Amino acid sequence: MMNEREKLDLITQISLDINEVKDIDLLLERILTSVRKFFNADAGSIYLRDKDNLRFSYSQNFSQQQKLPPGRKLIYNTFSIPINNMSIAGYVAKNRKTVNIPDVYSINDSVPYTFDSQFDIISNYRTSSMLAVPIINQRNDVLGVMQVINAQGDDGEILPFSPEDEPLIMHFANSAGLAIERAQMTRNIILRMISMAELRDPKETAAHVNRVGAFSVEIYEEWARDKMIPDEEVERQKDVLRMAAMLHDVGKVAISDLILKKPARLTLDEFEIMKSHTYLGARLFKNIQSDFDEVALQVALNHHEKWDGTGYPGHMDPETEEPLPGFEGANGTLKPKKGEEIPVFGRVVAVADVYDALCSRRSYKEPWDEDRTLEEIRQSTGKHFDPDMVRAFFSCLDVLKSISKRYPDEDEPQEKAD
Ligand code: C2E
Ligand code: SIN
Ligand code: SIN
Ligand code: FE
Ligand code: FE
């Protein structure tokens, strides 16, 4: 157990930490990890409000996690519940009240909500104590609900949360509220940038952009673990990569709709024009002022390079479209980039982008089934893709599939809430 001094330090640290994270998914992960640690809680979840519903957006469960092989992630389903007094989270959101329950299986008859034991049945878990707080912003809107579950004593025994925990978790929920609002704004600005510019083909939605961002982070994390990259470095890079990968095709704003939305294969000339979306995108980030600019430039410029040197645009200065000094090919041509000459984030997003493009409907193609998609990626190892990146891709495939369910195409039937 922590002493008071350590607790105070941790309270300050948590607020500082979460204010550094800019991407919403990674932010929820960071908040829950810190808050669980603070209360020595085995599990926890965050729901985000979506109009009149709460969407189960992020979840952790330490004892379930322990049963998995090292490095594997717990897969959970997203679902929505209405904001009303029937459920614990619904009650907390509706009444903006903190709820501290010693045992969810013996809830007092005087309250309207009940615990839905389906949660435990599905996840094969026994929830006992629960502390749930509303996440509220400065304008007093409810943004969501944070729950921590099963406080543990020094010997791992499950305890109720203490009444002194209540003001503390409210403090964390307030810090979380500010950070969540900012991160949602960042994500929405990126999505709006993409849609306003009519970058999107009618069949290419925000869901695609979100998926490529989320896939990239998972593949990178897996690759980085194999390469023994320090955790702090990986955490920092994940945050910028998530947003940069969402913008990989931002250069398509400069491509005419006639080409972008052509419901057929492109001619060679059209494809030459299409290729410019890489360096045109890179130019948007040329005044490098932050890690984000740097990574976004790397991704936009390099996501169509291929491991065997057959990709585009090659060793080009995106500004002048001239070869980089020392990389001039014969009579003014560009030398291709190959292997580790291609920046890491270019190699990551290449796999994420193609995986998503193959599984999805495009103006010019039908979605491929899973077997065909995976076979194509396997066949492209060492040709299109870095073999280490493909290894990372297959190691986290189950997580990638759960991301696809989380961000379904709008025209596909939604998964039923369970
Ligand atoms: P995108 O639709 O996001 O596709 C990204 C990458 O996924 C493609 O890069 C390619 O490597 C892979 N990919 C997509 N569809 C297929 C496919 O049916 N078979 C295989 N083997 N790979 C596929 P690429 O080829 O450099 O294309 C870049 C972008 O150019 C595409 O982005 C898309 O916007 C556009 N594009 C490419 N080919 C066509 C086409 O025939 N018609 C139209 N209208 N657009 C195309
Ligand atoms: C999520 O990351 O699942 C929620 C995104 C949002 O509501 O902005
Ligand atoms: C878009 O929405 O236009 C970009 C999707 C992608 O190609 O990954
Ligand atoms: Fe692209
Ligand atoms: Fe793409």
Side-chain angles (χ1 to χ4, degrees), residues 340-358:
E340 293 187 349
E341 291 172 359
I342 307 165
V344 169
F345 296 125
R347 286 182 264 149
V348 172
V349 175
V351 181
D353 184 32
V354 173
Y355 174 59
D356 196 58
L358 296 179

Side-chain angles (χ1 to χ4, degrees), residues 288-325:
I288 294 180
Q289 287 170 346
S290 64
D291 284 356
F292 169 73
D293 294 326
E294 172 116 44
V295 173
L297 189 151
Q298 236 190 60
V299 165
L301 187 61
N302 295 292
H303 72 279
H304 289 296
E305 295 292 358
K306 297 187 181 177
W307 186 251
D308 65 3
T310 61
Y312 58 87
H315 286 282
M316 172 199 272
D317 177 344
E319 206 51 42
T320 60
E321 303 174 28
E322 296 294 322
L324 285 175

Side-chain angles (χ1 to χ4, degrees), residues 107 150 157 214 248 278 394:
I107 290 180
N150 288 359
E157 74 280 18
H248 71 282
T278 50
F394 280 103

Side-chain angles (χ1 to χ4, degrees), residues 194-195 198-201 203-213 245-250 252 260 277 303-304 349 352-354 356-357 360 362 364:
I194 292 167
S195 71
E198 283 197 313
L199 165 59
R200 284 181 292 135
D201 172 309
K203 296 271 193 236
E204 278 182 72
T205 61
H208 288 277
V209 174
N210 273 320
R211 286 196 301 257
V212 173
M246 288 176 76
L247 289 166
H248 71 282
D249 272 339
V250 70
K252 283 183 182 173
L260 198 59
H277 81 276
H303 72 279
H304 289 296
V349 175
D353 184 32
V354 173
D356 196 58
S360 308
R362 289 286 197 261
Y364 60 96

